[in-house]
mmCIF file of all heavy atoms in Angstrom:
data_model
loop_
_atom_site.group_PDB
_atom_site.id
_atom_site.type_symbol
_atom_site.label_atom_id
_atom_site.label_comp_id
_atom_site.label_asym_id
_atom_site.label_seq_id
_atom_site.Cartn_x
_atom_site.Cartn_y
_atom_site.Cartn_z
ATOM 1 N N LYS I 1 -17.382 49.682 77.408
ATOM 2 C CA LYS I 1 -18.273 50.849 77.391
ATOM 3 C C LYS I 1 -18.058 51.725 78.615
ATOM 4 O O LYS I 1 -18.314 52.909 78.594
ATOM 5 C CB LYS I 1 -19.735 50.382 77.389
ATOM 6 C CG LYS I 1 -20.171 49.767 76.086
ATOM 7 C CD LYS I 1 -21.653 49.422 76.187
ATOM 8 C CE LYS I 1 -22.032 48.416 75.116
ATOM 9 N NZ LYS I 1 -23.000 47.453 75.609
ATOM 10 N N GLU I 2 -17.665 51.101 79.713
ATOM 11 C CA GLU I 2 -17.551 51.834 80.977
ATOM 12 C C GLU I 2 -16.149 52.431 81.085
ATOM 13 O O GLU I 2 -15.175 51.724 81.218
ATOM 14 C CB GLU I 2 -17.787 50.838 82.120
ATOM 15 C CG GLU I 2 -17.796 51.454 83.491
ATOM 16 C CD GLU I 2 -17.804 50.387 84.582
ATOM 17 O OE1 GLU I 2 -18.273 49.261 84.328
ATOM 18 O OE2 GLU I 2 -17.319 50.684 85.671
ATOM 19 N N VAL I 3 -16.054 53.741 80.979
ATOM 20 C CA VAL I 3 -14.749 54.379 81.085
ATOM 21 C C VAL I 3 -14.672 55.078 82.435
ATOM 22 O O VAL I 3 -15.473 55.952 82.745
ATOM 23 C CB VAL I 3 -14.513 55.400 79.940
ATOM 24 C CG1 VAL I 3 -13.187 56.116 80.138
ATOM 25 C CG2 VAL I 3 -14.515 54.692 78.599
ATOM 26 N N ASN I 4 -13.740 54.653 83.252
ATOM 27 C CA ASN I 4 -13.605 55.246 84.579
ATOM 28 C C ASN I 4 -12.330 56.085 84.609
ATOM 29 O O ASN I 4 -11.231 55.563 84.577
ATOM 30 C CB ASN I 4 -13.548 54.125 85.619
ATOM 31 C CG ASN I 4 -13.513 54.663 87.025
ATOM 32 O OD1 ASN I 4 -13.104 55.802 87.251
ATOM 33 N ND2 ASN I 4 -13.941 53.870 87.971
ATOM 34 N N PHE I 5 -12.503 57.395 84.668
ATOM 35 C CA PHE I 5 -11.346 58.286 84.604
ATOM 36 C C PHE I 5 -10.450 58.159 85.831
ATOM 37 O O PHE I 5 -9.246 58.304 85.743
ATOM 38 C CB PHE I 5 -11.795 59.734 84.394
ATOM 39 C CG PHE I 5 -12.450 59.921 83.060
ATOM 40 C CD1 PHE I 5 -13.816 60.122 82.946
ATOM 41 C CD2 PHE I 5 -11.704 59.836 81.889
ATOM 42 C CE1 PHE I 5 -14.425 60.255 81.709
ATOM 43 C CE2 PHE I 5 -12.296 59.966 80.640
ATOM 44 C CZ PHE I 5 -13.667 60.182 80.548
ATOM 45 N N LEU I 6 -11.045 57.855 86.980
ATOM 46 C CA LEU I 6 -10.233 57.694 88.190
ATOM 47 C C LEU I 6 -9.319 56.482 88.057
ATOM 48 O O LEU I 6 -8.255 56.430 88.632
ATOM 49 C CB LEU I 6 -11.129 57.556 89.422
ATOM 50 C CG LEU I 6 -11.710 58.879 89.915
ATOM 51 C CD1 LEU I 6 -12.813 58.634 90.922
ATOM 52 C CD2 LEU I 6 -10.637 59.744 90.546
ATOM 53 N N ARG I 7 -9.764 55.514 87.282
ATOM 54 C CA ARG I 7 -8.946 54.325 87.061
ATOM 55 C C ARG I 7 -7.741 54.695 86.198
ATOM 56 O O ARG I 7 -6.626 54.278 86.434
ATOM 57 C CB ARG I 7 -9.793 53.278 86.346
ATOM 58 C CG ARG I 7 -9.057 52.059 85.901
ATOM 59 C CD ARG I 7 -10.006 51.142 85.176
ATOM 60 N NE ARG I 7 -10.134 51.521 83.786
ATOM 61 C CZ ARG I 7 -9.543 50.888 82.793
ATOM 62 N NH1 ARG I 7 -8.778 49.855 83.045
ATOM 63 N NH2 ARG I 7 -9.716 51.261 81.558
ATOM 64 N N ARG I 8 -7.989 55.515 85.185
ATOM 65 C CA ARG I 8 -6.937 55.849 84.230
ATOM 66 C C ARG I 8 -6.002 56.938 84.762
ATOM 67 O O ARG I 8 -4.808 56.918 84.514
ATOM 68 C CB ARG I 8 -7.603 56.320 82.935
ATOM 69 C CG ARG I 8 -6.706 56.253 81.733
ATOM 70 C CD ARG I 8 -7.408 56.851 80.534
ATOM 71 N NE ARG I 8 -7.766 58.256 80.771
ATOM 72 C CZ ARG I 8 -8.592 58.947 80.000
ATOM 73 N NH1 ARG I 8 -9.167 58.369 78.976
ATOM 74 N NH2 ARG I 8 -8.854 60.207 80.259
ATOM 75 N N ASP I 9 -6.582 57.884 85.495
ATOM 76 C CA ASP I 9 -5.813 59.070 85.881
ATOM 77 C C ASP I 9 -5.219 59.017 87.285
ATOM 78 O O ASP I 9 -4.285 59.741 87.579
ATOM 79 C CB ASP I 9 -6.681 60.331 85.760
ATOM 80 C CG ASP I 9 -7.213 60.534 84.346
ATOM 81 O OD1 ASP I 9 -6.605 59.954 83.422
ATOM 82 O OD2 ASP I 9 -8.205 61.241 84.171
ATOM 83 N N SER I 10 -5.796 58.209 88.179
ATOM 84 C CA SER I 10 -5.285 58.225 89.551
ATOM 85 C C SER I 10 -4.126 57.242 89.703
ATOM 86 O O SER I 10 -4.036 56.248 88.983
ATOM 87 C CB SER I 10 -6.388 57.865 90.540
ATOM 88 O OG SER I 10 -6.683 56.487 90.458
ATOM 89 N N GLU I 11 -3.279 57.518 90.678
ATOM 90 C CA GLU I 11 -2.134 56.637 90.959
ATOM 91 C C GLU I 11 -2.624 55.246 91.360
ATOM 92 O O GLU I 11 -2.141 54.236 90.865
ATOM 93 C CB GLU I 11 -1.300 57.263 92.086
ATOM 94 C CG GLU I 11 -0.038 56.488 92.391
ATOM 95 C CD GLU I 11 0.677 56.994 93.653
ATOM 96 O OE1 GLU I 11 0.413 58.132 94.074
ATOM 97 O OE2 GLU I 11 1.482 56.234 94.193
ATOM 98 N N ALA I 12 -3.642 55.216 92.252
ATOM 99 C CA ALA I 12 -4.171 53.918 92.701
ATOM 100 C C ALA I 12 -4.736 53.144 91.515
ATOM 101 O O ALA I 12 -4.512 51.939 91.378
ATOM 102 C CB ALA I 12 -5.247 54.126 93.763
ATOM 103 N N GLY I 13 -5.465 53.848 90.638
ATOM 104 C CA GLY I 13 -6.065 53.206 89.470
ATOM 105 C C GLY I 13 -5.014 52.609 88.550
ATOM 106 O O GLY I 13 -5.142 51.474 88.086
ATOM 107 N N GLN I 14 -3.956 53.368 88.292
ATOM 108 C CA GLN I 14 -2.889 52.877 87.415
ATOM 109 C C GLN I 14 -2.183 51.681 88.037
ATOM 110 O O GLN I 14 -1.858 50.704 87.356
ATOM 111 C CB GLN I 14 -1.883 53.995 87.124
ATOM 112 C CG GLN I 14 -2.445 55.033 86.183
ATOM 113 C CD GLN I 14 -1.386 56.023 85.724
ATOM 114 O OE1 GLN I 14 -0.195 55.827 85.929
ATOM 115 N NE2 GLN I 14 -1.821 57.086 85.100
ATOM 116 N N LYS I 15 -1.955 51.750 89.343
ATOM 117 C CA LYS I 15 -1.272 50.641 90.027
ATOM 118 C C LYS I 15 -2.146 49.391 90.073
ATOM 119 O O LYS I 15 -1.633 48.272 90.094
ATOM 120 C CB LYS I 15 -0.843 51.074 91.431
ATOM 121 C CG LYS I 15 0.367 52.006 91.385
ATOM 122 C CD LYS I 15 0.741 52.535 92.745
ATOM 123 C CE LYS I 15 2.014 53.379 92.658
ATOM 124 N NZ LYS I 15 2.365 53.950 93.969
ATOM 125 N N CYS I 16 -3.464 49.585 90.080
ATOM 126 C CA CYS I 16 -4.383 48.436 90.023
ATOM 127 C C CYS I 16 -4.297 47.777 88.647
ATOM 128 O O CYS I 16 -4.280 46.555 88.535
ATOM 129 C CB CYS I 16 -5.819 48.881 90.293
ATOM 130 S SG CYS I 16 -6.154 49.204 92.023
ATOM 131 N N CYS I 17 -4.245 48.592 87.600
ATOM 132 C CA CYS I 17 -4.127 48.048 86.234
ATOM 133 C C CYS I 17 -2.810 47.292 86.082
ATOM 134 O O CYS I 17 -2.765 46.230 85.452
ATOM 135 C CB CYS I 17 -4.188 49.177 85.208
ATOM 136 S SG CYS I 17 -5.823 49.931 85.111
ATOM 137 N N THR I 18 -1.741 47.837 86.683
ATOM 138 C CA THR I 18 -0.440 47.165 86.636
ATOM 139 C C THR I 18 -0.497 45.852 87.416
ATOM 140 O O THR I 18 0.059 44.842 86.990
ATOM 141 C CB THR I 18 0.658 48.086 87.208
ATOM 142 O OG1 THR I 18 0.731 49.245 86.392
ATOM 143 C CG2 THR I 18 2.019 47.404 87.229
ATOM 144 N N PHE I 19 -1.203 45.860 88.557
ATOM 145 C CA PHE I 19 -1.367 44.634 89.352
ATOM 146 C C PHE I 19 -2.052 43.559 88.508
ATOM 147 O O PHE I 19 -1.629 42.402 88.481
ATOM 148 C CB PHE I 19 -2.172 44.938 90.623
ATOM 149 C CG PHE I 19 -2.574 43.716 91.420
ATOM 150 C CD1 PHE I 19 -1.630 42.778 91.815
ATOM 151 C CD2 PHE I 19 -3.900 43.511 91.787
ATOM 152 C CE1 PHE I 19 -1.987 41.646 92.559
ATOM 153 C CE2 PHE I 19 -4.273 42.392 92.525
ATOM 154 C CZ PHE I 19 -3.318 41.460 92.904
ATOM 155 N N GLN I 20 -3.111 43.953 87.767
ATOM 156 C CA GLN I 20 -3.808 42.994 86.909
ATOM 157 C C GLN I 20 -2.852 42.414 85.863
ATOM 158 O O GLN I 20 -2.827 41.208 85.624
ATOM 159 C CB GLN I 20 -4.979 43.684 86.192
ATOM 160 C CG GLN I 20 -6.137 44.000 87.112
ATOM 161 C CD GLN I 20 -7.319 44.526 86.304
ATOM 162 O OE1 GLN I 20 -7.264 45.604 85.720
ATOM 163 N NE2 GLN I 20 -8.389 43.759 86.265
ATOM 164 N N HIS I 21 -2.058 43.291 85.253
ATOM 165 C CA HIS I 21 -1.101 42.874 84.216
ATOM 166 C C HIS I 21 -0.054 41.937 84.820
ATOM 167 O O HIS I 21 0.296 40.906 84.240
ATOM 168 C CB HIS I 21 -0.451 44.123 83.603
ATOM 169 C CG HIS I 21 0.392 43.837 82.400
ATOM 170 N ND1 HIS I 21 0.939 44.835 81.622
ATOM 171 C CD2 HIS I 21 0.814 42.665 81.841
ATOM 172 C CE1 HIS I 21 1.636 44.285 80.630
ATOM 173 N NE2 HIS I 21 1.580 42.974 80.754
ATOM 174 N N TRP I 22 0.417 42.280 86.026
ATOM 175 C CA TRP I 22 1.440 41.488 86.706
ATOM 176 C C TRP I 22 0.938 40.068 86.990
ATOM 177 O O TRP I 22 1.617 39.078 86.728
ATOM 178 C CB TRP I 22 1.847 42.205 87.999
ATOM 179 C CG TRP I 22 2.916 41.522 88.781
ATOM 180 C CD1 TRP I 22 4.271 41.644 88.632
ATOM 181 C CD2 TRP I 22 2.729 40.593 89.864
ATOM 182 N NE1 TRP I 22 4.923 40.853 89.541
ATOM 183 C CE2 TRP I 22 4.007 40.195 90.313
ATOM 184 C CE3 TRP I 22 1.598 40.058 90.497
ATOM 185 C CZ2 TRP I 22 4.182 39.302 91.360
ATOM 186 C CZ3 TRP I 22 1.776 39.155 91.535
ATOM 187 C CH2 TRP I 22 3.060 38.782 91.966
ATOM 188 N N VAL I 23 -0.301 39.967 87.528
ATOM 189 C CA VAL I 23 -0.886 38.649 87.834
ATOM 190 C C VAL I 23 -1.087 37.867 86.535
ATOM 191 O O VAL I 23 -0.785 36.674 86.465
ATOM 192 C CB VAL I 23 -2.233 38.794 88.591
ATOM 193 C CG1 VAL I 23 -2.962 37.461 88.673
ATOM 194 C CG2 VAL I 23 -2.002 39.346 89.994
ATOM 195 N N TYR I 24 -1.585 38.563 85.508
ATOM 196 C CA TYR I 24 -1.822 37.929 84.208
ATOM 197 C C TYR I 24 -0.522 37.310 83.680
ATOM 198 O O TYR I 24 -0.505 36.170 83.232
ATOM 199 C CB TYR I 24 -2.371 38.975 83.228
ATOM 200 C CG TYR I 24 -2.564 38.473 81.822
ATOM 201 C CD1 TYR I 24 -3.744 37.839 81.455
ATOM 202 C CD2 TYR I 24 -1.564 38.634 80.858
ATOM 203 C CE1 TYR I 24 -3.921 37.372 80.159
ATOM 204 C CE2 TYR I 24 -1.733 38.159 79.564
ATOM 205 C CZ TYR I 24 -2.916 37.532 79.217
ATOM 206 O OH TYR I 24 -3.084 37.064 77.941
ATOM 207 N N GLU I 25 0.564 38.080 83.772
ATOM 208 C CA GLU I 25 1.858 37.585 83.272
ATOM 209 C C GLU I 25 2.398 36.455 84.163
ATOM 210 O O GLU I 25 2.889 35.455 83.674
ATOM 211 C CB GLU I 25 2.869 38.739 83.195
ATOM 212 C CG GLU I 25 4.050 38.422 82.311
ATOM 213 C CD GLU I 25 4.965 39.615 82.033
ATOM 214 O OE1 GLU I 25 4.583 40.493 81.244
ATOM 215 O OE2 GLU I 25 6.062 39.651 82.619
ATOM 216 N N LYS I 26 2.299 36.617 85.486
ATOM 217 C CA LYS I 26 2.797 35.608 86.448
ATOM 218 C C LYS I 26 2.125 34.260 86.240
ATOM 219 O O LYS I 26 2.724 33.217 86.487
ATOM 220 C CB LYS I 26 2.508 36.069 87.891
ATOM 221 C CG LYS I 26 3.599 36.930 88.486
ATOM 222 C CD LYS I 26 4.681 36.084 89.153
ATOM 223 C CE LYS I 26 5.831 36.872 89.695
ATOM 224 N NZ LYS I 26 6.973 37.058 88.828
ATOM 225 N N THR I 27 0.833 34.294 85.880
ATOM 226 C CA THR I 27 0.071 33.044 85.750
ATOM 227 C C THR I 27 -0.044 32.617 84.275
ATOM 228 O O THR I 27 -0.902 31.798 83.931
ATOM 229 C CB THR I 27 -1.343 33.196 86.361
ATOM 230 O OG1 THR I 27 -2.047 34.216 85.628
ATOM 231 C CG2 THR I 27 -1.296 33.563 87.829
ATOM 232 N N ASN I 28 0.805 33.194 83.433
ATOM 233 C CA ASN I 28 0.799 32.874 81.989
ATOM 234 C C ASN I 28 -0.575 33.055 81.343
ATOM 235 O O ASN I 28 -0.992 32.247 80.511
ATOM 236 C CB ASN I 28 1.295 31.438 81.748
ATOM 237 C CG ASN I 28 2.730 31.277 82.195
ATOM 238 O OD1 ASN I 28 3.576 32.126 81.931
ATOM 239 N ND2 ASN I 28 3.005 30.205 82.918
ATOM 240 N N GLY I 29 -1.279 34.094 81.767
ATOM 241 C CA GLY I 29 -2.577 34.405 81.164
ATOM 242 C C GLY I 29 -3.709 33.509 81.616
ATOM 243 O O GLY I 29 -4.791 33.510 81.035
ATOM 244 N N ASN I 30 -3.486 32.733 82.691
ATOM 245 C CA ASN I 30 -4.518 31.806 83.178
ATOM 246 C C ASN I 30 -5.426 32.409 84.237
ATOM 247 O O ASN I 30 -6.482 31.879 84.530
ATOM 248 C CB ASN I 30 -3.860 30.550 83.777
ATOM 249 C CG ASN I 30 -3.330 29.634 82.709
ATOM 250 O OD1 ASN I 30 -4.089 28.988 81.996
ATOM 251 N ND2 ASN I 30 -2.011 29.598 82.562
ATOM 252 N N LEU I 31 -4.983 33.502 84.859
ATOM 253 C CA LEU I 31 -5.749 34.066 85.977
ATOM 254 C C LEU I 31 -5.681 35.586 85.933
ATOM 255 O O LEU I 31 -4.653 36.160 85.575
ATOM 256 C CB LEU I 31 -5.174 33.531 87.290
ATOM 257 C CG LEU I 31 -5.882 33.916 88.594
ATOM 258 C CD1 LEU I 31 -5.794 32.753 89.582
ATOM 259 C CD2 LEU I 31 -5.280 35.141 89.238
ATOM 260 N N LEU I 32 -6.794 36.228 86.283
ATOM 261 C CA LEU I 32 -6.854 37.689 86.317
ATOM 262 C C LEU I 32 -7.641 38.122 87.548
ATOM 263 O O LEU I 32 -8.733 37.606 87.803
ATOM 264 C CB LEU I 32 -7.555 38.211 85.054
ATOM 265 C CG LEU I 32 -7.664 39.723 84.939
ATOM 266 C CD1 LEU I 32 -6.326 40.354 84.582
ATOM 267 C CD2 LEU I 32 -8.700 40.121 83.886
ATOM 268 N N VAL I 33 -7.071 39.043 88.321
ATOM 269 C CA VAL I 33 -7.823 39.613 89.443
ATOM 270 C C VAL I 33 -8.614 40.772 88.849
ATOM 271 O O VAL I 33 -8.070 41.628 88.162
ATOM 272 C CB VAL I 33 -6.894 40.108 90.569
ATOM 273 C CG1 VAL I 33 -7.717 40.692 91.714
ATOM 274 C CG2 VAL I 33 -6.047 38.960 91.098
ATOM 275 N N THR I 34 -9.925 40.762 89.067
ATOM 276 C CA THR I 34 -10.778 41.763 88.442
ATOM 277 C C THR I 34 -11.673 42.425 89.486
ATOM 278 O O THR I 34 -11.527 42.167 90.680
ATOM 279 C CB THR I 34 -11.575 41.118 87.286
ATOM 280 O OG1 THR I 34 -12.345 42.142 86.647
ATOM 281 C CG2 THR I 34 -12.491 40.010 87.768
ATOM 282 N N ASP I 35 -12.562 43.302 89.037
ATOM 283 C CA ASP I 35 -13.435 44.038 89.969
ATOM 284 C C ASP I 35 -12.631 44.714 91.077
ATOM 285 O O ASP I 35 -13.016 44.666 92.246
ATOM 286 C CB ASP I 35 -14.464 43.084 90.606
ATOM 287 C CG ASP I 35 -15.698 42.938 89.728
ATOM 288 O OD1 ASP I 35 -15.693 43.508 88.628
ATOM 289 O OD2 ASP I 35 -16.652 42.274 90.145
ATOM 290 N N LEU I 36 -11.500 45.313 90.730
ATOM 291 C CA LEU I 36 -10.693 45.991 91.749
ATOM 292 C C LEU I 36 -11.392 47.278 92.147
ATOM 293 O O LEU I 36 -11.676 48.128 91.305
ATOM 294 C CB LEU I 36 -9.290 46.280 91.201
ATOM 295 C CG LEU I 36 -8.448 45.038 90.904
ATOM 296 C CD1 LEU I 36 -7.186 45.413 90.164
ATOM 297 C CD2 LEU I 36 -8.106 44.291 92.167
ATOM 298 N N GLN I 37 -11.715 47.393 93.433
ATOM 299 C CA GLN I 37 -12.469 48.547 93.910
ATOM 300 C C GLN I 37 -12.165 48.779 95.378
ATOM 301 O O GLN I 37 -11.798 47.850 96.091
ATOM 302 C CB GLN I 37 -13.963 48.303 93.700
ATOM 303 C CG GLN I 37 -14.466 46.994 94.303
ATOM 304 C CD GLN I 37 -15.810 46.592 93.745
ATOM 305 O OE1 GLN I 37 -16.667 47.427 93.531
ATOM 306 N NE2 GLN I 37 -16.014 45.306 93.520
ATOM 307 N N GLY I 38 -12.311 50.016 95.798
ATOM 308 C CA GLY I 38 -12.048 50.318 97.195
ATOM 309 C C GLY I 38 -11.841 51.792 97.420
ATOM 310 O O GLY I 38 -12.250 52.631 96.624
ATOM 311 N N VAL I 39 -11.194 52.107 98.541
ATOM 312 C CA VAL I 39 -10.921 53.490 98.918
ATOM 313 C C VAL I 39 -9.414 53.682 98.883
ATOM 314 O O VAL I 39 -8.684 53.020 99.611
ATOM 315 C CB VAL I 39 -11.485 53.805 100.322
ATOM 316 C CG1 VAL I 39 -11.118 55.215 100.748
ATOM 317 C CG2 VAL I 39 -13.006 53.618 100.342
ATOM 318 N N GLY I 40 -8.960 54.570 98.010
ATOM 319 C CA GLY I 40 -7.517 54.790 97.866
ATOM 320 C C GLY I 40 -6.828 53.498 97.477
ATOM 321 O O GLY I 40 -7.214 52.835 96.526
ATOM 322 N N MET I 41 -5.808 53.136 98.261
ATOM 323 C CA MET I 41 -5.028 51.923 97.947
ATOM 324 C C MET I 41 -5.578 50.674 98.642
ATOM 325 O O MET I 41 -4.996 49.607 98.553
ATOM 326 C CB MET I 41 -3.564 52.121 98.359
ATOM 327 C CG MET I 41 -2.858 53.223 97.617
ATOM 328 S SD MET I 41 -2.161 52.658 96.055
ATOM 329 C CE MET I 41 -1.393 54.175 95.503
ATOM 330 N N LYS I 42 -6.691 50.823 99.391
ATOM 331 C CA LYS I 42 -7.257 49.651 100.083
ATOM 332 C C LYS I 42 -8.424 49.107 99.273
ATOM 333 O O LYS I 42 -9.404 49.808 99.032
ATOM 334 C CB LYS I 42 -7.722 50.038 101.496
ATOM 335 C CG LYS I 42 -6.555 50.296 102.426
ATOM 336 C CD LYS I 42 -6.973 50.240 103.875
ATOM 337 C CE LYS I 42 -5.743 50.123 104.768
ATOM 338 N NZ LYS I 42 -6.102 49.764 106.131
ATOM 339 N N LEU I 43 -8.297 47.860 98.866
ATOM 340 C CA LEU I 43 -9.279 47.257 97.969
ATOM 341 C C LEU I 43 -10.071 46.153 98.640
ATOM 342 O O LEU I 43 -9.580 45.476 99.525
ATOM 343 C CB LEU I 43 -8.560 46.677 96.742
ATOM 344 C CG LEU I 43 -7.539 47.571 96.043
ATOM 345 C CD1 LEU I 43 -6.818 46.801 94.963
ATOM 346 C CD2 LEU I 43 -8.211 48.809 95.466
#
């Protein structure tokens, strides 16, 4: 329900989504880093 445009449209937001995907794949779907939040690229 919560759509965050800064997540979808910003470079930091897209790279955070990729980070989540990367961790998910690295851990074979066993672990996910979530609640990614912060200022710019610092979380």
Side-chain angles (χ1 to χ4, degrees):
K1 288 183 198 143
E2 184 189 334
V3 176
N4 184 336
F5 294 108
L6 282 167
R7 173 182 84 103
R8 200 185 60 193
D9 301 339
S10 73
E11 184 189 341
Q14 287 189 12
K15 285 175 176 178
C16 284
C17 291
T18 298
F19 172 53
Q20 288 187 293
H21 188 173
W22 182 87
V23 169
Y24 176 86
E25 198 171 286
K26 272 273 177 267
T27 62
N28 297 316
N30 285 289
L31 184 146
L32 181 74
V33 180
T34 183
D35 274 4
L36 294 171
Q37 53 197 321
V39 176
M41 297 274 181
K42 288 198 165 193
L43 312 174

